[in-house]
Amino acid sequence: MGGKLLLKKNFDPYKASKNSEAGNLPSPELRQAMTKYNEELVKAGVRIAAKGLHPSSNGIRLSYPVPGGDPVITDGPFTESEDLIAGFILIDVNSREEAISWAMRMPDPQGHGEGQVELRQVFE
């Protein structure tokens, strides 16, 4: 699992939570801890991109319920918050173990015991 990996987070970030979907920002302490973590990623030369996302209430979803048919557009919010993400960090590492090591250093992205981080490899 070398190459670019997406650290998916809930800001809940990495997975979205009720708190992040309500548009609540992380505490100043958590923002400071996340800033420090991101600075470490940059200093190590592995961070490609990192962004928090607005709540799904600001989102739009396109679905394709009929094969070959036109997409259906649905405005947020989306109720299945366990399937939503609140932000992401894209890192370029050499192994699965290195990705896990970096993910283990990330502060609880929600700060309320709701955070989850998911590691996914990006197709090159």
Side-chain angles (χ1 to χ4, degrees), residues 41-52:
L41 291 169
V42 170
K43 186 176 178 179
V46 298
R47 192 183 94 172
I48 296 171
K51 294 291 179 183

Side-chain angles (χ1 to χ4, degrees), residues 69-121:
D70 291 334
V72 174
I73 299 171
T74 305
D75 291 321
F78 308 116
T79 58
E80 51 293 318
S81 65
E82 67 277 356
D83 295 332
L84 301 175
I85 63 170
F88 69 91
I89 298 175
L90 183 63
I91 61 174
D92 191 357
V93 295
N94 295 314
S95 68
R96 179 179 192 270
E97 292 73 24
E98 186 179 359
I100 292 170
S101 175
W102 277 110
M104 294 293 290
R105 297 181 212 179
M106 180 184 287
D108 173 357
Q110 288 301 316
H112 303 284
E114 298 176 309
Q116 291 182 354
V117 176
E118 183 176 322
L119 297 175
R120 300 283 301 271
Q121 190 166 5

Side-chain angles (χ1 to χ4, degrees), residues 5-79:
L5 291 164
L6 180 66
L7 288 182
K8 187 170 114 177
K9 60 182 186 178
N10 292 327
F11 251 167
D12 251 320
Y14 289 26
K15 288 251 182 174
S17 68
K18 290 179 184 178
N19 194 45
S20 66
E21 280 295 290
N24 297 327
L25 294 175
S27 69
E29 296 81 16
L30 179 55
R31 286 197 305 265
Q32 182 178 10
M34 289 300 286
T35 297
K36 182 177 182 233
Y37 174 73
N38 274 284
E39 288 170 350
E40 291 171 3
L41 291 169
V42 170
K43 186 176 178 179
V46 298
R47 192 183 94 172
I48 296 171
K51 294 291 179 183
L53 302 175
H54 285 263
S56 71
S57 58
N58 293 338
I60 301 166
R61 179 177 287 166
L62 278 71
S63 58
Y64 298 83
V66 179
D70 291 334
V72 174
I73 299 171
T74 305
D75 291 321
F78 308 116
T79 58

